[in-house]
Amino acid sequence: MGRLSKNFHSLEFSCNCGCASGFMSSKHIALLQKLRDVAGPLKVTSGIRCKEYNASIKGAAPKSWHVPRDNGECYACDITYATGSISNRGILKLYVLADQLQFKGLGLYKGRIHVDSRPTGRRARWVDHYWNWKDS
């Protein structure tokens, strides 16, 4: 598929099992590019997940937005900064920037955030139980 935006390539979002399932939503890519423009270089730590790969991840929701829908479109990824030391304060900043850009789903994790542009339902916000507020 190739380049999806100025700073993102389709390979960054491929399922880790190598199945080549699904494709990222263009709306999601546009929001990610806006986030990258204000936050600086970003690294995708988890993009598209086929149902089988998603099931192998401890704690992953069976109907995760990482899993392509019937039309093949995927609406979620986990991201972090691509360079430098990743502090909790930095991850919090990334989370706030993503919230300001109005991603529909946002999750705060140690060293990364989940962002999604789910086309249905309400906004969702959560903090992983491993997050350590004392280090922020």
Short mmCIF file of all heavy atoms in Angstrom, two decimals, residues 13 27 29-30 48 66 100 105 133:
data_model
loop_
_atom_site.label_atom_id
_atom_site.label_comp_id
_atom_site.label_asym_id
_atom_site.label_seq_id
_atom_site.Cartn_x
_atom_site.Cartn_y
_atom_site.Cartn_z
N PHE A 13 1.87 -0.19 10.38
CA PHE A 13 0.60 -0.60 10.97
C PHE A 13 0.28 -2.08 10.75
O PHE A 13 -0.73 -2.57 11.23
CB PHE A 13 -0.54 0.26 10.40
CG PHE A 13 -0.36 1.72 10.67
CD1 PHE A 13 0.26 2.54 9.75
CD2 PHE A 13 -0.77 2.27 11.87
CE1 PHE A 13 0.45 3.89 10.00
CE2 PHE A 13 -0.59 3.61 12.14
CZ PHE A 13 0.02 4.42 11.20
N LYS A 27 -9.30 8.44 7.97
CA LYS A 27 -9.60 9.43 9.01
C LYS A 27 -8.61 9.27 10.18
O LYS A 27 -8.10 10.25 10.72
CB LYS A 27 -11.03 9.27 9.51
CG LYS A 27 -11.39 10.24 10.61
CD LYS A 27 -12.80 10.02 11.12
CE LYS A 27 -13.06 10.93 12.32
NZ LYS A 27 -14.32 10.68 12.97
N ILE A 29 -5.57 7.96 10.06
CA ILE A 29 -4.25 8.40 9.60
C ILE A 29 -4.16 9.92 9.60
O ILE A 29 -3.15 10.50 10.01
CB ILE A 29 -3.92 7.82 8.20
CG1 ILE A 29 -3.80 6.29 8.26
CG2 ILE A 29 -2.66 8.45 7.62
CD1 ILE A 29 -2.69 5.77 9.15
N ALA A 30 -5.22 10.61 9.16
CA ALA A 30 -5.22 12.07 9.14
C ALA A 30 -5.08 12.63 10.56
O ALA A 30 -4.31 13.58 10.79
CB ALA A 30 -6.49 12.60 8.48
N ILE A 48 -2.58 -2.71 13.24
CA ILE A 48 -3.62 -3.66 12.88
C ILE A 48 -3.32 -5.01 13.53
O ILE A 48 -2.17 -5.44 13.57
CB ILE A 48 -3.68 -3.82 11.34
CG1 ILE A 48 -4.04 -2.47 10.69
CG2 ILE A 48 -4.65 -4.91 10.93
CD1 ILE A 48 -3.84 -2.42 9.20
N HIS A 66 -8.39 -2.31 17.11
CA HIS A 66 -7.20 -2.71 16.36
C HIS A 66 -7.55 -3.76 15.31
O HIS A 66 -6.81 -3.95 14.36
CB HIS A 66 -6.15 -3.34 17.30
CG HIS A 66 -5.42 -2.38 18.17
ND1 HIS A 66 -4.23 -1.80 17.79
CD2 HIS A 66 -5.67 -1.92 19.42
CE1 HIS A 66 -3.79 -1.02 18.77
NE2 HIS A 66 -4.65 -1.08 19.78
N GLN A 100 -6.91 16.64 22.74
CA GLN A 100 -7.22 17.92 22.13
C GLN A 100 -7.57 17.78 20.65
O GLN A 100 -8.34 18.57 20.11
CB GLN A 100 -6.06 18.90 22.31
CG GLN A 100 -5.90 19.35 23.75
CD GLN A 100 -4.64 20.15 23.98
OE1 GLN A 100 -3.69 20.11 23.19
NE2 GLN A 100 -4.60 20.87 25.09
N GLY A 105 -11.20 7.33 21.10
CA GLY A 105 -10.74 6.44 22.16
C GLY A 105 -9.31 6.74 22.54
O GLY A 105 -8.46 6.91 21.66
N TRP A 133 1.19 6.87 38.64
CA TRP A 133 1.04 8.31 38.74
C TRP A 133 2.19 8.95 39.53
O TRP A 133 2.48 10.12 39.32
CB TRP A 133 -0.29 8.66 39.40
CG TRP A 133 -1.45 8.34 38.52
CD1 TRP A 133 -2.27 7.26 38.60
CD2 TRP A 133 -1.90 9.08 37.38
NE1 TRP A 133 -3.21 7.27 37.59
CE2 TRP A 133 -3.00 8.39 36.84
CE3 TRP A 133 -1.47 10.26 36.77
CZ2 TRP A 133 -3.68 8.85 35.71
CZ3 TRP A 133 -2.16 10.71 35.66
CH2 TRP A 133 -3.25 10.00 35.14
#
